[in-house]
Amino acid sequence: QRQMCIRDSNIIAFAGGSLNEYDSLLTSTVDLYDTITDDFTSNTFSIPRILFTAVGSEEGGLIFFAGGRDYNGVIIDVVDIYDV
């Protein structure tokens, strides 16, 4: 299950989430889809997480994934920034 989807200019990002119903297997994958080139690329979170916040920049080019929790429920205070 994917946790978050966000669009920034021509890029749509699908990220985070759990690989099982108990949230004990979290994914660190960030999939980026370019609507112009019709291509997918992948990246990773610095820490696998769920329950985070994502924002895209107004001018385009940056996507921010902030906070969340790890599989033990511990709060993550890390921001991952992707230049797309």
Side-chain angles (χ1 to χ4, degrees):
Q1 298 174 326
R2 285 297 194 197
Q3 183 72 22
M4 180 70 67
C5 172
I6 187 164
R7 183 178 181 131
D8 178 65
S9 61
N10 61 303
I11 301 295
I12 302 172
F14 304 90
S18 174
L19 299 174
N20 67 6
E21 63 183 289
Y22 305 107
D23 292 339
S24 60
L25 296 171
L26 302 183
T27 179
S28 61
T29 303
V30 177
D31 290 317
L32 304 170
Y33 174 67
D34 189 321
T35 60
I36 293 174
T37 63
D38 195 30
D39 287 327
F40 273 96
T41 56
S42 290
N43 211 317
T44 58
F45 280 141
S46 58
I47 303 168
R49 65 185 81 176
I50 57 172
L51 304 174
F52 53 88
T53 299
V55 239
S57 61
E58 278 292 315
E59 297 299 316
L62 295 177
I63 295 178
F64 301 83
F65 293 97
R69 294 186 181 269
D70 69 10
Y71 72 92
N72 287 317
V74 175
I75 295 173
I76 296 170
D77 60 355
V78 172
V79 177
D80 288 329
I81 303 170
Y82 297 91
D83 187 355
V84 296

